[in-house]
Amino acid sequence: MRTDVPVWVVPREGLQYQGRRAGLVTRSIAGVIDGVVVVVAVLAGYVGVNGLRFLVRPRTFQFSEASPLPSVAIFLLVLVGYFFVAWSITGRTYGCHLMGLRVVGRRGGRPGPLVALLRALFCVVFPLGLLWCAGGRQHSVQDVVLRTSVIYDWRPGSPR
Amino acid sequence: MDEVVPGAETEHGHVGTSEQSENPPDAPPASQDPSVVLDAAVGAAALAAAAAQLVGRRVGQAVSPVRRRVGGVLSPVAVVILRPPMLAERYQAATWLEGLARRGGQGRAELARQLSVALDRMVPAVADEVLARIDMAGLAEGVIAEVDLAEMIRQSTGSVASDTVRGVRMQGISGDEAVGRVVARLRLRRPRAEPEMTPQQP
């Protein structure tokens, strides 16, 4: 009995788009959601660290100064880590999950750890490469260089 | 409804008694399909059974009063035949009949047990083979697509969030298509220069 084929629970109007490459609008929205997620995570980390400091030295506690440059560096670092972990494990970040997107490798499967790491670095260092996917083939610069694709995939779970 | 003319030929072949009209009565019968012979045998058996049932019922009705009277006479005779008083019990016909019945019952039980064992072996293998030849996932997918299971799940759970997410996704896809159309239109307005038209570099 064939049990390896998943049963799709996809609404009827979205069926025809499954597996197609996603365009600029959807990917931009997913990117903005991911940015918000990472900002919230960094802020939560900041609050958590200060909470620990308060627990250790409550009398002399003061909020640590958040200078712009280290904050941005931490944000970018967390963003790279977030992209790397999400793409290498499930092929989708939270923004991709909400927008029904998935990053796939050249063979249509989940990208490998090295590709995921390079793509994460590339996306964080050069986010404007996303604009390239407004072209006909809907590939960003990162996709062209690393031979990856971002497709509509509303199915739950990971690709095989 | 079209009237069927005997001997007429349709696109599906002969209809009615066409073969009878084509073959002379004294000609040897044409080779018959085995299924036709089988059908004929089954039909004849059914006819014979029905006739036997009818005859039996009529005879039963006719001899019913006689049977009641004769039964009262024959019953002691049968007892004497089955259990003759001058014979030892082991040589009586009734004892032999009981032995035969006991042996037959044992054989029937053994046969049922063997049949059960054979079915226990065969049925899982046959079921596996049948299931291996059926695309269960495709079947389930078709059923789900037909009944729109996602819609039912969504309605039963009453999830507003999934509705919102689905709307956002569909609007995103519409936006992607709109951007794609705009870019395609821009490309059409500014076609790429032909290779022959490019100025040659000095």
Side-chain angles (χ1 to χ4, degrees):
Chain A
M1 188 167 75
R2 288 175 58 190
T3 55
D4 54 338
V5 180
V7 176
W8 288 23
V9 186
V10 175
R12 206 170 271 177
E13 69 263 26
L15 272 176
Q16 57 177 324
Y17 298 104
Q18 302 306 304
R20 289 194 195 173
R21 289 197 192 108
L24 179 64
V25 176
T26 312
R27 292 172 66 168
S28 300
I29 295 172
V32 169
I33 293 170
D34 288 334
V36 171
V37 167
V38 173
V39 165
V40 170
V42 170
L43 283 176
Y46 175 75
V47 172
V49 167
N50 280 283
L52 281 177
R53 288 179 65 228
F54 174 74
L55 287 176
V56 173
R57 291 177 184 172
R59 286 190 176 182
T60 60
F61 172 74
Q62 280 186 339
F63 268 100
S64 59
E65 192 179 345
S67 47
L69 198 61
S71 301
V72 170
I74 288 172
F75 170 76
L76 295 179
L77 204 64
V78 173
L79 195 60
V80 169
Y82 168 67
F83 281 160
F84 164 64
V85 171
W87 286 337
S88 58
I89 291 177
T90 61
R92 61 192 352 168
T93 59
Y94 183 67
C96 290
H97 170 71
L98 282 185
M99 296 307 296
L101 304 178
R102 192 188 296 280
V103 178
V104 293
R106 77 178 77 166
R107 289 173 186 166
R110 200 171 50 214
L114 183 62
V115 173
L117 180 61
L118 290 175
R119 196 174 195 279
L121 284 169
F122 208 162
C123 286
V124 170
V125 170
F126 186 57
L128 290 178
L130 183 63
L131 294 176
W132 194 257
C133 72
R137 296 199 63 194
Q138 297 186 322
H139 269 142
S140 67
V141 174
Q142 292 85 356
D143 291 333
V144 173
V145 172
L146 296 169
R147 301 180 72 179
T148 55
S149 299
V150 179
I151 59 170
Y152 301 113
D153 188 356
W154 295 12
R155 291 172 301 171
S158 303
R160 282 159 292 112
Chain B
M1 190 174 175
D2 293 334
E3 188 180 356
V4 177
V5 179
E9 196 170 352
T10 66
E11 58 180 331
H12 301 295
H14 296 285
V15 172
T17 58
S18 60
E19 286 186 2
Q20 293 168 2
S21 60
E22 285 174 3
N23 295 333
D26 54 349
S31 63
Q32 299 282 341
D33 192 13
S35 61
V36 175
V37 178
L38 184 65
D39 290 347
V42 171
L47 192 64
Q53 191 178 8
L54 184 67
V55 170
R57 199 177 298 151
R58 292 278 168 83
V59 170
Q61 286 171 358
V63 301
S64 180
V66 180
R67 188 176 55 188
R68 274 198 295 272
R69 290 177 187 172
V70 172
V73 178
L74 287 182
S75 183
V77 176
V79 170
V80 169
I81 292 172
L82 290 174
R83 294 278 180 201
M86 69 287 291
L87 280 178
E89 189 178 351
R90 58 179 176 174
Y91 297 122
Q92 290 174 352
T95 309
W96 291 355
L97 281 176
E98 285 171 4
L100 283 175
R102 202 179 306 120
R103 192 176 297 174
Q106 288 172 353
R108 188 156 50 84
E110 176 65 18
L111 189 65
R113 193 188 62 79
Q114 288 179 357
L115 189 63
S116 175
V117 169
L119 285 176
D120 286 346
R121 287 179 186 165
M122 278 174 57
V123 168
V126 172
D128 282 347
E129 288 300 315
V130 169
L131 290 176
R133 283 164 173 75
I134 296 175
D135 184 7
M136 296 293 283
L139 205 63
E141 210 169 290
V143 171
I144 287 169
E146 194 63 34
V147 301
D148 199 355
L149 187 63
E151 180 71 19
M152 287 170 63
I153 292 170
R154 194 174 56 78
Q155 285 180 355
S156 63
T157 54
S159 170
V160 180
S162 77
D163 222 5
T164 308
V165 166
R166 191 163 70 162
V168 170
R169 285 176 178 177
M170 289 309 297
Q171 285 185 355
I173 290 174
S174 302
D176 290 343
E177 289 177 339
V179 169
R181 280 195 297 272
V182 168
V183 171
R185 206 172 296 156
L186 288 174
R187 280 185 172 176
L188 284 175
R189 281 187 187 173
R190 283 193 277 170
R192 287 182 181 175
E194 294 294 327
E196 307 86 65
M197 301 292 286
T198 50
Q200 291 192 349
Q201 298 291 328

